[in-house]
Structure formats: structure tokens, C-alpha cells
Amino acid sequence: MVSRPDDELIADALSGQSAAFSELAMRHRPRVERLCQRFFSDPEIARDLAQECFIRAFAGLSTYRKELPFGGWLRAIVTNLCYDELRRRRRRPEELVGDFTAPEVQWMHLVSEATPEQIVAEAEQRREAHALAHRLLETLKPEDRTVVIMKDSEGMNVREIAQAMGWSAAKVKIRAFRARQAMRRQAERLQIGGHRLKP
Amino acid sequence: MNCFEARQDFPAFWRCELPADRRAVLNAHLGECAKCDRAFRVFAMTAPVLHSASAALSRAAGPREFTFEHRARAAAPPVNSSYGAQRRWLAMCASALIFVAASSGAYLAASAPTQSLSDALTNSQDQSVQRLFGSELPDSSDDLAG
């Protein structure tokens, strides 16, 4: 079966065919969920945000402009939604200190001592690598975290991020720089061995 | 390969998308450049979230049927219901206050006596004189005769 282009589905959805929008949502769902999971480690929150994104997209479909790709428009909705949620949650640890589980400490040792090939091979298998990365990202300010995810994960450039978030290009650059500094500081601290094992 | 090129390749290396020859060159560079080796280890701390392939993240989320219920949920509050409830409660309080203020204003405007400013000032002056000298105003001729 030939899949219909996004524009055609959008036109149908705007004319009142909600099935067309459902098809559109199903098509873009994996990407939207994946982006939410980069913001939030809790899969329930990520899934709720993904659904909320499609609800907002459906409600605002009439404002969508054809000259932009639908995926990009959707991505702007997701990032703004996740950013608002990060700001709403506010509480974030200033420093990545505290208790680490034994597997997390093992992973930190592996990252410090193994070869790059071994690190890459092990990372996909280890859930703790994922958890620790989220803990590290949680120490960043919401703005910094949003910029890092959009830039590194989504491969967006400064102009695209500024446009999606309604920020100036200078703000995006400053946030990216500060985020990188903070992440490097935290990661190096962990690798030096400032971690404590959870009892 | 220089340091800039090496670091540009980190994401592709992490996702195992780098061609074998390029991968070998990168490994060799990391073996001899201490700064890039350190940068890669820092990169590896966040890469499981920022650069992981879709499969790993989906596995972390676990399988669950995606339910697209835009019609049912369109009117429902967003992600956090307690936050939505708090906002609704504040909106209700604000609208109640506005209603009370508007109705009091309307009542006062309807029941207030219609008089000019000068009348109001004269009345208030008379009342203050009455408070000073009693209910009757003093007769200046009697005072002089007494």
C-alpha cells in the first residue's frame, strides 16, 4: 500500500476527516516519543507528553504553514512542550552527587578505563548508562538542556533552535556553551571518582 | 585526521554508523591524542540519551499501546492534572472577585443620591457646623446682644 504524503493527510484532516490525522500521528509517533524520552527518563511522562503534543497539533493544525515540513512543525511543538514541563518541574539537583548503584559505578569505571570500542559495545546493553546520562542531564537548567537535546540529538542548527523556541541566536549560543561546560565539569568529576556507592 | 574531524565523528561512531576504515582511523587518533580520548569519555557519559539509536530508547520506555484519544482528551487538562486544577481554581477565584466587584459597583452607582459636587460640599460643611454648635445654628445677633 502506498503511503499518502503528509500534505494530503493534513488537507483531509482540515476538512474534518480525523482518520487522516490519526494516520499522520501514527507516522510521526516514534520520532515524537523518542524526542520526549530524551527530555524525561520516566517513560510514562514521555508518553503523556507525546500524546499531548498530538492533541496540540490537532487543535492548531489550521495554523500549520505548508512551506515548512510537518515533522519540523511537530518537533517545535514537542520541544516547547517538554521545555515548559521542565520549567514547571523546576526542582533539579545543582550537582551530580549522591548515591550511585553498583552497576552505575561499574559503568563509570568502564567509561574511565575501557577502550572506546568497548564503551560503545557495552553502552547499548546497560540500562544504568542510560539512567546515569539522564541524571547528568537533569543537573542542567531547562534552557541549557533543551538546547543540548535539540542541537546534539536532533542535529538542529542555531537558527532552527532560535526559531523553534522563539529565542535569539545569541541566547541559543550562550546556552549551548554553558551546557557543554557544565556537562564536562560533571562528567569529569564523576570520572575522577567523586562518586559514592549506594548502601 | 585532526581533532576537529575526530570529534565530529563521535555521534556516528557511537551509533556504529561509521564506515570501517573511518572507524579504524578514529580509534587510532583516540589512541594517540589524550585530549580527544578524554573528550570521548565525557561524550560517552551523556551519549546513551543524546545519541542513542531509537531501539535503545524505545526499550527503556517499554512496550505499550499508543492511544490517540484527541477527541476525548482535547477538553481535558494537559499533562499534569494537579497543575491544571490549581490554575482552574485560581481562574475561578479571580472571576468570582471580578463578579463581586462589578456587582457592588453597579449597586452603588444605582443607589447613590444624585447631587452636584457643590451641593455635596455645602451639605458636608453644614453637617460639620452642626456637629460643632448643636442641632441649631448659632444666631450671630443674639450673641452680640447677650
Side-chain angles (χ1 to χ4, degrees):
Chain A
M1 186 183 149
V2 181
S3 61
R4 297 161 67 201
D6 282 356
D7 286 348
E8 212 173 284
L9 291 170
I10 292 163
D12 284 355
L14 284 171
S15 67
Q17 294 177 36
S18 57
F21 191 78
S22 292
E23 192 180 332
L24 209 55
M26 288 302 149
R27 181 178 297 172
H28 291 275
R29 171 201 154 194
R31 221 173 131 210
V32 167
E33 278 198 347
R34 198 161 61 238
L35 182 51
C36 292
Q37 284 165 28
R38 294 193 204 278
F39 277 91
F40 296 97
S41 56
D42 187 337
E44 289 297 320
I45 296 173
R47 220 172 272 122
D48 282 350
L49 283 167
Q51 290 216 15
E52 180 65 24
C53 163
F54 285 112
I55 292 163
R56 287 199 187 181
F58 184 73
L61 198 60
S62 56
T63 64
Y64 166 70
R65 285 179 296 148
K66 267 186 183 177
E67 52 268 30
L68 296 170
F70 182 71
W73 184 70
L74 212 53
R75 187 169 59 188
I77 295 177
V78 185
T79 43
N80 275 286
L81 200 63
C82 291
Y83 170 64
D84 287 346
E85 186 65 12
L86 281 179
R87 286 182 68 196
R88 199 190 63 74
R89 290 177 180 263
R90 276 184 202 161
R91 280 183 57 200
R92 65 182 176 86
E94 292 293 329
E95 297 290 335
L96 184 57
V97 290
D99 302 326
F100 297 103
T101 61
E104 282 174 343
V105 173
Q106 277 176 4
W107 169 245
M108 282 186 254
H109 282 306
L110 193 127
V111 170
S112 302
E113 288 153 20
T115 65
E117 285 286 359
Q118 285 172 326
I119 296 168
V120 172
E122 286 283 319
E124 288 294 305
Q125 311 298 323
R126 288 175 180 257
R127 198 172 281 266
E128 61 271 17
H130 192 263
L132 200 61
H134 262 299
R135 282 182 71 175
L136 210 147
L137 287 168
E138 276 167 14
T139 63
L140 299 178
K141 287 181 179 171
E143 291 90 351
D144 298 357
R145 197 163 157 191
T146 304
V147 168
V148 163
I149 291 171
M150 292 171 95
K151 206 164 185 295
D152 290 359
S153 299
E154 296 296 303
M156 293 166 76
N157 60 33
V158 171
R159 192 182 54 80
E160 286 171 329
I161 299 171
Q163 201 174 9
M165 301 306 294
W167 295 342
S168 67
K171 181 177 176 174
V172 174
K173 284 180 191 170
I174 290 168
R175 288 296 168 195
F177 177 72
R178 286 187 184 163
R180 259 179 232 305
Q181 274 190 322
M183 282 199 302
R184 191 184 306 128
R185 201 171 48 241
Q186 297 284 4
E188 283 179 349
R189 185 174 295 171
L190 285 181
Q191 287 171 12
I192 287 164
H195 40 264
R196 193 169 68 228
L197 195 64
K198 191 181 268 185
Chain B
M1 176 180 272
N2 61 31
C3 295
F4 178 76
E5 288 169 340
R7 292 176 196 205
Q8 289 286 100
D9 279 351
F10 283 175
F13 178 67
W14 188 266
R15 294 188 182 118
C16 301
E17 290 168 357
L18 218 53
D21 52 340
R22 184 88 179 172
R23 198 176 179 90
V25 172
L26 179 62
N27 270 317
H29 181 83
L30 291 175
E32 62 196 25
C33 177
K35 278 189 177 176
C36 284
D37 181 68
R38 191 153 187 80
F40 177 76
R41 292 175 199 283
V42 170
F43 168 88
M45 294 300 289
T46 51
V49 167
L50 294 178
H51 297 283
S52 87
S54 57
L57 282 169
S58 302
R59 195 173 58 237
R64 196 186 102 179
E65 194 59 35
F66 181 83
T67 51
F68 180 64
E69 309 157 333
H70 61 265
R71 287 174 187 207
R73 293 192 55 185
V79 182
N80 190 305
S81 56
S82 65
Y83 181 59
Q86 199 180 4
R87 283 200 305 188
R88 278 202 303 280
W89 173 245
L90 280 172
M92 277 170 60
C93 287
S95 47
L97 276 173
I98 291 167
F99 177 73
V100 167
S103 49
S104 317
Y107 174 75
L108 287 173
S111 60
T114 50
Q115 56 181 358
S116 67
L117 183 61
S118 57
D119 287 345
L121 283 170
T122 315
N123 287 340
S124 66
Q125 279 169 356
D126 288 349
Q127 282 168 8
S128 35
V129 171
Q130 278 177 5
R131 271 201 298 276
L132 281 170
F133 296 100
S135 58
E136 300 269 329
L137 284 174
D139 188 345
S140 51
S141 57
D142 289 351
D143 288 347
L144 286 169

